[in-house]
């Protein structure tokens, strides 16, 4: 029987080469750089440099597609060499590279499998391309080319490239998650600001301006616009936020416009270039590039529209930005509906209070004045002295006039607020509404053909300015006397005819450091029409109080 040979030590396996051991610290340094912060640019620069240094490539590049596949790719290079010619797609995207999974090593005809590689893989001889994956999806490519010495890339180079491509994917994925979280946080903060403005009880136009400003700021747009429905099916520009607001406030987009039809139907519209889209026929829209138009919908009801317009040449809105803007618009619409219901309740309370005041005036004050007049008439007949009889007669006549004035006030208080009327009647109505909280009726007078000369757009903005000025006088001035003048014979500084509204009080005046949002709103409203607004001394002793002046062309 033959004896079996005694087992010996297992054959030794070749350990990592000295060159491989030298590469490990560089790889660890790249991993540390990737995990050091949310900005991927530094990490990707380090990955390109490290890839070129460890593989001996004279050229290294990383191409990354836009996150939603709709925007341009980000393409960065390190070094120079003939490998550039194979990756000259620049910023044109990764094409079909999003779906490729193989590794190409041109010049050696070697592949991981037999499928067609990504479009961004290098095509120059002696080059290597490795896909970059972000959460399992190929969104880019790490390209290496022109290895020193003219040698092809070997298996060890391929392993290093795969490791570095994986680190690039981690850096890109982390950066996108961080940026998405920051964007969501900004949009949520903007929604809170809009909700607060709409429910704070301030002027509605001021709150809509906040909506336009937040939409513009959050979306990185050149202009933010809020549209509200008007009678007849169109949409009126109710608020504009832009570095230089155009004179479009109050402009109505007709129902025949395709954009108005889409928004009123509750559908969003995305325009990549306003200058070429046939749906945007307005000359003003031609000044912008990408435009996003969203309906303000709540509970199936379209309350208006929100427009975000970027400058010419800017990138289109991405899918993520559209989703965030949709949520913002929905929140703004809900706050708008709640604010509208709140204003309806306040309006109902005012109307009930007016009805109570009218009833008291009619049932109590007029009856007492009438009884007093009858007593005075009896006293007049029994007066023995002629002078006394004449004085009592004058008092009776004064009481009759007072009774007629009170009856006119009762009639005005009971007038329906929705009754269509001219500018004079609308001004009287605003003054009568303000008289309830003020405790007195502001004096008012007219100059010139107010009803016939002032156009509808200017008249509507004048009423809003009057409402704002009277509201400020009630809330902040503590006035005991207010005078309102509407002058339709004004000539503006540029020579155009216009109308001027003056609201003067004898209150405390403008407080230093106080809020100026209402006055700024008046200025914006006037400037949007080509006019102006300013303040001056009041009508109290020594100029006490405030005078608000608002003027605009017809």
């Amino acid at each position: 029987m033959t004896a079996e040979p005694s087992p010996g030590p297992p054959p030794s396996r070749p350990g990592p080469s000295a060159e491989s051991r030298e590469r490990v610290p560089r790889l660890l340094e790249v991993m540390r750089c990737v995990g050091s912060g949310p900005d991927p640019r530094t990490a990707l620069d380090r990955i390109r440099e490290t890839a070129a240094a460890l593989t001996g490539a004279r050229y290294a590049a990383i191409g990354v597609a836009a996150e939603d596949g709709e925007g341009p790719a980000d393409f960065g290079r390190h070094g120079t060499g003939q490998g550039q010619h194979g990756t000259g797609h620049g910023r044109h995207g990764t094409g079909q590279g999003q779906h490729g999974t193989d590794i190409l090593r041109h010049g050696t005809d070697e592949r991981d499998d037999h499928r067609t590689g990504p479009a961004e893989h290098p095509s120059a001889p002696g080059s290597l391309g490795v896909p970059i994956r972000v959460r399992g999806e190929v969104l880019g490519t790490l390209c290496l080319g022109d290895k020193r010495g003219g040698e092809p890339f070997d298996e060890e180079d391929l392993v290093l490239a795969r490791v570095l491509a994986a680190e690039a994917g981690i850096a890109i994925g982390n950066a996108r998650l961080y940026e998405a979280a920051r964007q969501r946080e900004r949009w949520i903060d903007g929604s809170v600001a809009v909700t607060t403005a709409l429910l704070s009880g301030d002027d509605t136009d001021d709150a809509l301006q906040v909506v336009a400003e937040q939409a513009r700021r959050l979306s990185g747009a050149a202009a933010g616009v809020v549209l509200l429905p008007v009678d007849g099916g169109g949409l009126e520009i109710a608020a504009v936020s832009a570095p230089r607001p155009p004179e479009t406030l109050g402009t109505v987009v007709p129902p025949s416009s395709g954009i108005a039809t889409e928004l009123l139907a509750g559908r969003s519209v995305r325009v990549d270039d306003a200058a070429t889209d046939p749906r945007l026929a307005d000359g003003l829209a031609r000044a912008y590039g990408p435009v996003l138009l969203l309906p303000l919908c709540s509970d199936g009801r379209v309350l208006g529209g929100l427009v975000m317009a970027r400058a010419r040449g800017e990138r289109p809105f991405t899918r993520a930005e559209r989703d965030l803007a949709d949520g913002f618009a929905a929140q703004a619409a809900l706050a708008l509906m709640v604010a509208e219901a709140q204003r309806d309740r306040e309006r109902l309370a005012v109307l009930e209070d007016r009805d109570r005041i009218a009833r008291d005036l009619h049932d109590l004050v007029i009856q007492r004045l009438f009884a007093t007049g009858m007593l005075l008439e009896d006293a007049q007949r029994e007066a023995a002295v002629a002078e006394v009889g004449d004085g009592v007669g004058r008092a009776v006549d004064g009481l009759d006039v007072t009774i007629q004035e009170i009856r006119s006030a009762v009639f005005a208080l009971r007038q329906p607020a929705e009754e269509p009327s001219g500018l004079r009647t609308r001004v009287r109505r605003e003054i009568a509404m303000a008289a309830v909280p003020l405790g007195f009726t502001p004096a008012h007078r007219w100059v010139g053909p107010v009803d016939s000369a002032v156009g509808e757009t200017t008249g509507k903005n004048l009423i809003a300015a009057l409402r704002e000025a009277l509201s400020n006088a009630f809330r902040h001035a503590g006035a005991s006397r207010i005078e309102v003048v509407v002058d339709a014979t004004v000539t503006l500084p540029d020579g155009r005819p216009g109308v001027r509204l003056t609201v003067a009080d004898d209150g405390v005046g403008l407080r230093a450091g106080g809020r100026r949002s209402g006055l700024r709103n008046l200025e914006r409203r006037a400037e949007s029409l080509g006019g102006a607004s300013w303040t001056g001394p009041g009508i109290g002793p020594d100029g006490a109080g405030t005078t608000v002046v608002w003027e605009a062309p017809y």
Side-chain angles (χ1 to χ4, degrees):
M1 186 173 181
T2 306
E4 295 181 359
S6 59
S12 60
R13 297 180 180 178
S17 64
E19 183 180 0
S20 298
R21 289 194 297 271
E22 292 176 358
R23 290 172 169 175
V24 171
R26 298 288 299 272
L27 290 175
L28 294 177
E29 178 63 22
V30 169
M31 294 179 183
R32 187 196 67 79
C33 179
V34 169
S36 62
D39 183 10
R41 297 186 180 277
T42 302
L44 294 181
D45 289 342
R46 182 68 62 85
I47 288 172
R48 283 191 290 264
E49 295 172 4
T50 303
L54 296 185
T55 61
R58 291 189 176 90
Y59 171 76
I62 291 179
V64 182
E67 186 171 2
D68 59 0
E70 298 180 359
D74 187 9
F75 203 84
R77 297 184 177 90
H78 172 76
T80 58
Q82 62 180 350
Q84 293 185 58
H85 304 294
T87 54
H89 299 280
R91 297 182 59 84
H92 296 292
T94 58
Q96 298 176 353
Q98 296 182 27
H99 307 290
T101 59
D102 57 333
I103 311 299
L104 301 188
R105 286 178 290 178
H106 294 276
T108 62
D109 290 330
E110 297 183 18
R111 297 171 181 254
D112 281 12
D113 55 34
H114 300 288
R115 288 171 290 184
T116 302
E120 291 292 348
H121 284 174
S123 57
S127 57
L128 175 65
V130 183
I132 296 174
R133 293 180 175 87
V134 178
R135 294 187 291 278
E137 182 180 3
V138 177
L139 291 182
T141 310
L142 169 61
C143 303
L144 303 173
D146 197 11
K147 186 170 182 176
R148 291 179 176 82
E151 299 177 358
F153 292 98
D154 56 24
E155 291 298 329
E156 193 167 355
D157 296 330
L158 176 59
V159 172
L160 288 170
R162 281 174 166 166
V163 172
L164 292 170
E167 292 300 317
I170 293 172
I172 295 167
N174 290 344
R176 289 183 174 179
L177 287 174
Y178 178 75
E179 180 58 27
R182 287 186 59 196
Q183 281 189 343
R184 283 194 296 271
E185 182 181 0
R186 289 196 299 268
W187 283 92
I188 290 173
D189 290 343
S191 298
V192 171
V194 166
T195 303
T196 302
L198 287 170
L199 299 182
S200 63
D202 289 342
D203 185 77
T204 304
D205 294 325
D206 203 13
L208 293 178
Q209 186 67 28
V210 173
V211 176
E213 290 172 355
Q214 290 292 335
R216 174 194 169 206
R217 180 183 68 85
L218 294 169
S219 63
V225 180
V226 176
L227 305 171
L228 295 181
V230 295
D231 295 337
L235 290 169
E236 179 187 11
I237 298 178
V240 178
S241 174
R244 294 182 179 179
E247 298 180 4
T248 57
L249 199 64
T251 302
V252 175
V253 181
S256 58
S257 168
I259 293 297
T261 302
E262 293 290 322
L263 290 178
L264 291 173
R267 293 187 292 268
S268 60
V269 180
R270 175 192 173 193
V271 176
D272 289 336
D273 189 0
T276 59
D277 196 291
R279 293 171 294 181
L280 295 174
D282 193 313
L284 177 66
R286 302 300 188 190
Y288 297 102
V291 180
L292 185 61
L293 304 99
L294 302 174
L296 295 173
C297 297
S298 182
D299 197 21
R301 177 185 169 196
V302 178
L303 303 174
L306 182 62
V307 182
M308 289 161 278
R310 284 178 173 163
R312 296 286 299 276
E314 290 289 327
R315 60 179 178 82
F317 291 89
T318 65
R319 186 182 300 114
E321 288 173 328
R322 296 199 301 271
D323 291 341
L324 291 170
D326 281 335
F328 174 82
Q331 181 67 28
L334 178 60
L336 193 62
M337 177 172 282
V338 174
E340 183 179 356
Q342 178 176 301
R343 287 191 298 273
D344 287 341
R345 289 193 299 270
E346 294 174 353
R347 189 177 298 112
L348 179 60
V350 170
L351 292 176
E352 290 176 348
D353 202 20
R354 289 174 61 185
D355 187 66
R356 178 188 59 78
I357 294 171
R359 189 169 55 252
D360 290 344
L361 287 174
H362 183 270
D363 296 343
L364 299 176
V365 178
I366 291 181
Q367 295 299 328
R368 290 179 179 177
L369 289 174
F370 186 74
T372 303
M374 293 181 65
L375 291 174
L376 289 174
E377 286 179 351
D378 292 340
Q380 183 182 17
R381 285 193 296 268
E382 297 176 0
V385 180
E387 290 81 0
V388 173
D390 292 341
V392 173
R394 288 193 296 271
V396 172
D397 293 339
L399 284 177
D400 289 339
V401 173
T402 302
I403 290 172
Q404 292 301 321
E405 290 178 348
I406 293 176
R407 282 176 174 170
S408 298
V410 170
F411 178 77
L413 286 171
R414 287 178 172 172
Q415 281 283 88
E418 292 78 15
E419 179 183 345
S421 55
L423 182 58
R424 288 175 182 251
T425 303
R426 284 183 285 171
V427 170
R428 289 194 190 99
R429 185 179 300 146
E430 291 298 328
I431 292 174
M433 290 284 288
V436 175
L438 285 170
F440 63 91
T441 300
H444 57 280
R445 62 186 179 91
W446 326 99
V447 180
V450 173
D451 282 336
S452 61
V454 181
E456 179 61 27
T457 300
T458 301
K460 182 177 180 180
N461 283 277
L462 184 145
I463 292 297
L466 173 61
R467 186 182 304 125
E468 177 72 35
L470 291 175
S471 176
N472 287 341
F474 164 66
R475 290 184 294 174
H476 309 301
S480 61
R481 185 162 61 99
I482 298 177
E483 294 180 359
V484 178
V485 179
V486 180
D487 185 355
T489 63
V490 174
T491 300
L492 301 182
D494 59 4
R496 290 183 294 173
V499 60
R500 176 179 297 159
L501 168 70
T502 305
V503 180
D505 64 65
D506 62 349
V508 298
L510 296 176
R511 295 182 177 88
R515 289 185 59 191
R516 298 292 189 272
S517 59
L519 296 177
R520 287 196 298 269
N521 188 42
L522 291 176
E523 292 173 3
R524 285 194 299 264
R525 186 179 293 278
E527 290 170 357
S528 69
L529 299 172
S533 179
W534 64 91
T535 61
I539 56 176
D542 299 325
T546 304
T547 296
V548 176
V549 182
W550 186 95
E551 65 180 20
Y554 290 152

